[in-house]
Amino acid sequence: MQRLYAFKDLPADLQAALAIAGRVTPAVSSAPASRAGAAPSAARTSPTGAAALSSSPAARKAAVAAQTAESLWGRHERAAPGCKARAAQLKAAVDAVAALVDAGRAVRQAIREVVAQGTETEGTLRKSWYDVKPYAREDWLAVLTPGWTGRTLDTVSPEAWDFFKGDYLRLEAPKYSAVYDRLTRTAKVRGWIVPSLGSLKTRLDREVPKAVQVLARRGTEAFARTMPAQRRDRSVFTALGGVNADGHRFDVFAKWPDGTVARPVMVGWQDLMSGKLLAKRVDRTEHSGLVRLSFGDLIEQYGIPGAAWLDNGRSFAAKFITGGMANRYRFKVREEDPAGLMTQLIGADNIHWTTPYHGQAKPIERAWLDLCETVAKHPAFAGAYVGNNPMAKPENYGSRAVPIADFLAVLDEEIAAHNARSGRRSTICAGRSFDQTFAESYQEAGVLIRMPTAEQRRWWMLAAESVSLARSTGEIKLLGNFYWHESLVDHAGDKAVVRFDPDHLHKGVHVYTMDGRYITDAECTVAAGFNDLDAARDLARAKSQRKKHAKGVLDAERRMDALQVAALMPRATPAEPMKAPKVVRMATGHAAPGKRPAAGVQGGDNEGSSVIAAAFRPVPKPAPMTDEDFEAAFSAGVARLKAGGTGKARL
């Protein structure tokens, strides 16, 4: 037969043993109860509750205790497992004391009895009892959680700590050992206090967040990867409700008909809902014409998409494509800028630019990864594969270049297989292929597909360029050819948008106003060579490269400019002024050396000015000589020469 005894009637030592063993349920505290082992409820901890608003000191004290308990529970959640285990051990001992106190024991007697039966010291248990006394019993576990923070860090000089962080937190990412070696060598000279390397590591991890260390040592891209990527639900789209586009350069050498060997570049368009590759064009380089033609293929075959997410490159940002909307190359939209093809068909509000160099913003990047395996490494291209980076070149690098026609044939086959492959694991496909997923949505009755008109087909089949019409006739000059129509006279001197077939410039152009209104079809009046746009672009590129090369050579050879040369030249020393002669006279052809000055020429201070004045007087013409006078003068001169005279005979 089982017998029941009142706890207070049991012997003291048995009461203490039962209390320590947790066999006694403590009396419920008068404090508001909450879920056991959990943080206080909002009603008990909210500082805006009735207790906080009361003017009673006891109520205010209870509100402060409730707020403190909430912070203690947060500390308990962050505590190490050892701290939580110690808190549970102390709480069991305190609960035993509380059970004995509820049974009528005095606090000191209850503590002594629990100490006698347990492992806690009297001082520890007494301190724990008075620590939990202000709090509700369900908060005792959080109150008793130790606030251990680990070992105390050694002292370090502020200058040494700044030196350590400045050397370690940089993009070169030096090792701890190298940084510590430089720090210790510098500290010996500067007199800094430097602890052990382990202490510095611990302090760095405590004070500098891990993400900040990644930013300092590995850059912004690595820092961005410390945050989870956004997960986007593409089920909000229907077929052709949204598309994304990007360019991709294949790691294969291809040979074009003119003998050029280059890696082909493809611009592709992908449906966002299904993931199907809808259209593509291939050329030697990525340019706006490639984007325009591939977008035209998309519209011709499937229709006009509802929205587009585009790569932020220059080929997509060209005015031909997205003119009329701002991008990172075109911060301001001018009124005279023509509206681009996609801007008119889709609308500027439905065109979105993806983050540069961020593949997660474009799902088509995942398709490029598949094509790198299925196309670039296709067995038909053995020997033409070049590797995805300079360090991954195969052994047979450059041994072969596949004809471009063969490359396009394999590319079409692999894209068709890519779209038809079943077992796709995306939420929308659910095991179906991209083709099946797109076709089911495309053929639904509720899905509205906009098809282009005959006039709209000219927009993507022809390139657009803003040109100025001749002031008097309205004639258009484009790529060396001239176009004119009678109706262009009314628009003479204006700017217009010209749409033309880049492969047949001599067939005429379609002329529009700057806001997209159709004017006329202008015929080619002077065909200057039937050149196409690709040839004109290649010529312009060759001229630009030649000019750039010549400037580079000139800069390499001319290391000093004219100002630097002039600065290095020695400065001329000015000559000392000559002293004026004491005697100045005018020497003329009619005055013999040693002859006295003529009448009116005086010496003294005015002698020099008199001589200068005499030099500007008109010289009188000599009187004509007769034959007799000439013979007499000649004979006299000969006689002087024979006699050794120095005077000049006057002829």
Side-chain angles (χ1 to χ4, degrees), residues 121-161:
T121 63
E122 184 176 350
T124 300
L125 192 54
R126 183 183 298 112
K127 180 181 181 301
S128 301
W129 171 259
Y130 288 107
D131 284 344
V132 301
K133 194 173 182 179
Y135 298 92
R137 182 163 291 178
E138 59 269 17
D139 294 329
W140 286 0
L141 181 63
V143 176
L144 295 172
T145 302
W148 298 336
T149 57
R151 70 186 185 116
T152 304
L153 297 177
D154 297 332
T155 304
V156 58
S157 299
E159 298 84 357
W161 177 237

Side-chain angles (χ1 to χ4, degrees), residues 377-412:
K377 298 181 180 180
H378 195 277
F381 302 154
Y385 178 69
V386 299
N388 58 356
N389 64 73
M391 303 302 296
K393 294 180 179 179
E395 188 70 23
N396 58 353
Y397 172 83
S399 61
R400 177 171 173 249
V402 62
I404 188 61
D406 297 344
F407 174 84
L408 294 177
V410 173
L411 178 62
D412 291 339

